[in-house]
C-alpha cells in the first residue's frame, strides 16, 4: 500500500530556497514525480525520476529545481533554488509502479495530499 506524505513547504522570499520531501512509497514503486497546482488551473508536472535516477524537468524549473531520491530511506526530494513568485502553488508528490519519467498527471496512480509553497516578491 502506498501512502504518500509531503513535507517541507512554506513561505519564502523570491530568490530563496526550499526542499520538499515525500515519504510513503515502497521498494516496488519505480517512478516518482512532483507536480504543482494553483487554484483554477490544471495540475502540472514539475519533475520526474525513475529507479535509475534518470530525471526529466519542466522547462520552467530547469536549472533551478533538482529532483532526487533516497531508496534506502524511501524518500523523494525536490530542492528548489532561485524561487520566483510564479512558483507559488500546492506541490504534490506522485508515484507509479510502471510509467516513468512522465510529467502528465494521468500517468500516476498514487498521490500525496500536497504541501503549500508561497514565494513573495
Amino acid at each position: 500500500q502506498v501512502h504518500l506524505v509531503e513535507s517541507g513547504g512554506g513561505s519564502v522570499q523570491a530568490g530563496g530556497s526550499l526542499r520538499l520531501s515525500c515519504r510513503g512509497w515502497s521498494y516496488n514503486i519505480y517512478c516518482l514525480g512532483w507536480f504543482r497546482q494553483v487554484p483554477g488551473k490544471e495540475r502540472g508536472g514539475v519533475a520526474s525520476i525513475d529507479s535509475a535516477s534518470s530525471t526529466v524537468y519542466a522547462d520552467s524549473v530547469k536549472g533551478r529545481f533538482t529532483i532526487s531520491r533516497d531508496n534506502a530511506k524511501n524518500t523523494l526530494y525536490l530542492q528548489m533554488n532561485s524561487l520566483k513568485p510564479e512558483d507559488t502553488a500546492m506541490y504534490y508528490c506522485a508515484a507509479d509502479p510502471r510509467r516513468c519519467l512522465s510529467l502528465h498527471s494521468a500517468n500516476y496512480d498514487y498521490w500525496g495530499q500536497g504541501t503549500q509553497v508561497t514565494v513573495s516578491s
Side-chain angles (χ1 to χ4, degrees):
Q1 193 162 358
V2 179
H3 179 63
L4 303 175
V5 179
E6 303 94 337
S7 62
S11 297
V12 65
Q13 289 192 329
S17 298
L18 285 173
R19 188 176 79 158
L20 306 184
S21 298
C22 172
R23 295 177 174 84
W25 46 277
S26 55
Y27 71 96
N28 61 335
I29 297 295
Y30 305 112
C31 314
L32 301 165
W34 287 100
F35 288 74
R36 64 187 181 186
Q37 188 172 24
V38 297
K41 293 191 175 182
E42 291 188 358
R43 192 170 297 186
V46 175
S48 180
I49 188 169
D50 68 6
S51 58
S53 291
S54 295
T55 58
V56 63
Y57 294 91
D59 288 343
S60 59
V61 306
K62 282 180 181 176
R64 300 188 299 122
F65 290 10
T66 302
I67 187 172
S68 62
R69 63 193 289 168
D70 185 333
N71 292 329
K73 296 181 179 180
N74 287 353
T75 302
L76 174 71
Y77 301 101
L78 184 68
Q79 178 66 44
M80 306 186 294
N81 298 329
S82 302
L83 282 161
K84 304 175 181 180
E86 51 263 45
D87 294 318
T88 295
M90 184 72 77
Y91 282 72
Y92 297 90
C93 170
D96 194 87
R98 298 175 305 278
R99 293 167 289 196
C100 293
L101 298 177
S102 172
L103 297 180
H104 297 289
S105 59
N107 288 338
Y108 291 84
D109 284 346
Y110 304 102
W111 292 88
Q113 293 299 307
T115 185
Q116 178 67 38
V117 171
T118 302
V119 185
S120 59
S121 57

